[in-house]
Amino acid sequence: MVWGLLTCAGAAALLGLYFHRAWSAGMSFTRLLGYAVLCQVLTVAAGLLFVALLLLGIFWLAHKLGHIEGERWEQYFQSVSTAGLLLRVGAVMAVALAAVAALSVPLFARLGFQEPGLLAALFFVARGAYLLNKFSRRRDELIQKLLKLKR
């Protein structure tokens, strides 16, 4: 809950800074709506990147570099605590979100948004707060799924 509150505060500060700069430069409501829609699309892209590239990539690398197969995977999941698995999943999700945020800077610039770097930072912090909130609300469900994986 503390992480969620901290990231929400960071998102609110970035949002205030952006609105102060954008409104003084003449940003319209339709541009703001366009940013909201674009953030939803970028969130889906981060989810796809998380699942398709990062999560599967980690398993592929572990298999290729560490020659982990069958029982060794089972031993690995038994040796790592549930909290450790949650932290690993969260870290991979943060990397995927950061990658999409970094790639969104040129997109925001190309679409004519003012302060594209600030918008990308706002996207990263706001979506991070959203994901932390979602994980905390559905923590028990996620833990049950991880415990099934460990069995």
Side-chain angles (χ1 to χ4, degrees):
M1 186 166 152
V2 172
W3 283 111
L5 291 173
L6 287 174
T7 54
C8 283
L14 285 171
L15 185 64
L17 179 63
Y18 180 75
F19 279 143
H20 175 69
R21 290 181 181 175
W23 251 226
S24 63
M27 182 172 184
S28 67
F29 180 74
T30 55
R31 294 294 282 173
L32 181 61
L33 186 60
Y35 174 70
V37 170
L38 193 54
C39 281
Q40 291 300 324
V41 171
L42 290 172
T43 301
V44 170
L48 291 173
L49 183 63
F50 168 72
V51 171
L53 297 178
L54 294 179
L55 195 58
L56 294 176
I58 286 171
F59 286 119
W60 181 79
L61 278 175
H63 172 71
K64 289 294 182 186
L65 298 177
H67 305 291
I68 297 177
E69 292 183 14
E71 278 189 30
R72 288 192 64 199
W73 276 116
E74 193 172 320
Q75 290 171 351
Y76 171 75
F77 284 117
Q78 292 298 325
S79 69
V80 177
S81 69
T82 306
L85 285 175
L86 281 173
L87 285 174
R88 285 169 175 82
V89 168
V92 171
M93 177 102 28
V95 167
L97 197 58
V100 169
L103 292 173
S104 72
V105 173
L107 177 66
F108 290 142
R110 186 113 165 119
L111 294 174
F113 284 98
Q114 292 114 356
E115 304 283 341
L118 186 58
L119 275 180
L122 176 61
F123 166 74
F124 177 75
V125 173
R127 285 289 126 175
Y130 170 77
L131 289 172
L132 281 173
N133 182 26
K134 189 174 182 179
F135 276 138
S136 69
R137 282 185 318 204
R138 299 177 70 187
R139 190 183 86 205
D140 294 335
E141 180 184 336
L142 184 59
I143 289 173
Q144 290 302 319
K145 287 180 181 182
L146 288 174
L147 288 175
K148 277 185 185 178
L149 179 67
K150 289 180 79 165
R151 289 183 197 153

